[in-house]
Amino acid sequence: MDDRTLVNFASIENHTAREEVLRRHIMDVDLVPYTDACATFATIEAINKQGHYLVALPYKIGIFSATFVGVTAIPMVFHLPTIEWFNVWAVTTDVPELRDLETPLEVSIWSWNWMEPPLGLASFVLLCMQYVRGQMLNLGMKPYTGWIKAHRGQKLANAFPQYDKKILIAYSETANFM
């Protein structure tokens, strides 16, 4: 691929193109063939991935927590045995007559008395957090991911001062955390 096309792809944040731009930059600065540039690039890539486990941990905790809460919320609202167990364990409210608990929807009318506050609060908190994130982006502020990627790019630029800082940071900012 010619340099102009490669730079165009890199400018639209294509990570593969940014990798190749960095390899070619290494060739140019170090005056080495492509295979040697690939070896240097592998070192840069390894340093860029250092600490990814800890950086990705909040995301993994969020994914696990949201999945767990989302899956358990359904039986906590509609499944009578689960609701009866939870009522004995945590709520201790009066149980409606059996004729008022014949269908999952009737069961949910009873369980919604105590499930609505935590589910409603969680939904409102998430809505507020999304709003704050949107306003941060409007102001040009970087939420957690942007801040981490910028910090990681700066660290990479400091580790390899012989290479162009902007190329290193651009490469680092499009690299994922996995």
Side-chain angles (χ1 to χ4, degrees), residues 26-64:
I26 292 167
M27 288 172 56
D28 184 49
V29 170
D30 294 349
L31 301 173
V32 295
Y34 189 77
T35 54
D36 292 348
C38 287
T40 303
F41 174 78
T43 303
I44 291 171
E45 185 177 37
I47 289 173
N48 193 50
K49 288 184 177 182
Q50 287 178 348
H52 277 198
Y53 176 77
L54 289 177
V55 169
L57 193 59
Y59 296 104
K60 292 177 181 180
I61 290 170
I63 290 167
F64 173 78

Side-chain angles (χ1 to χ4, degrees), residues 1-11 16-17 20-21 24:
M1 185 179 302
D2 68 287
D3 290 344
R4 175 176 273 169
T5 305
L6 191 60
V7 169
N8 283 337
F9 278 117
S11 70
T16 305
E20 186 60 26
V21 166
R24 291 183 188 187

Side-chain angles (χ1 to χ4, degrees), residues 79-90:
H79 187 245
L80 184 58
T82 303
I83 294 166
E84 289 174 329
W85 169 81
F86 191 74
N87 184 47
V88 169
W89 181 75

Side-chain angles (χ1 to χ4, degrees), residues 6-136:
L6 191 60
V7 169
N8 283 337
F9 278 117
S11 70
I12 59 170
E13 299 184 4
N14 180 297
H15 183 66
T16 305
R18 287 187 175 182
E19 287 178 336
E20 186 60 26
V21 166
L22 181 53
R23 283 188 197 98
R24 291 183 188 187
H25 179 64
I26 292 167
M27 288 172 56
D28 184 49
V29 170
D30 294 349
L31 301 173
V32 295
Y34 189 77
T35 54
D36 292 348
C38 287
T40 303
F41 174 78
T43 303
I44 291 171
E45 185 177 37
I47 289 173
N48 193 50
K49 288 184 177 182
Q50 287 178 348
H52 277 198
Y53 176 77
L54 289 177
V55 169
L57 193 59
Y59 296 104
K60 292 177 181 180
I61 290 170
I63 290 167
F64 173 78
S65 300
T67 302
F68 177 77
V69 170
V71 169
T72 58
I74 296 168
M76 291 293 289
V77 174
F78 295 105
H79 187 245
L80 184 58
T82 303
I83 294 166
E84 289 174 329
W85 169 81
F86 191 74
N87 184 47
V88 169
W89 181 75
V91 180
T92 67
T93 189
D94 294 332
V95 178
E97 295 180 25
L98 196 54
R99 64 182 169 85
D100 293 332
L101 299 173
E102 293 175 347
T103 68
L105 291 178
E106 291 173 334
V107 169
S108 70
I109 292 169
W110 173 45
S111 67
W112 197 247
N113 289 322
W114 67 79
M115 289 302 292
E116 183 180 20
L119 292 176
L121 178 63
S123 298
F124 183 71
V125 167
L126 287 173
L127 177 68
C128 289
M129 291 171 64
Q130 288 175 333
Y131 178 77
V132 167
R133 183 181 187 280
Q135 296 311 310
M136 287 176 72

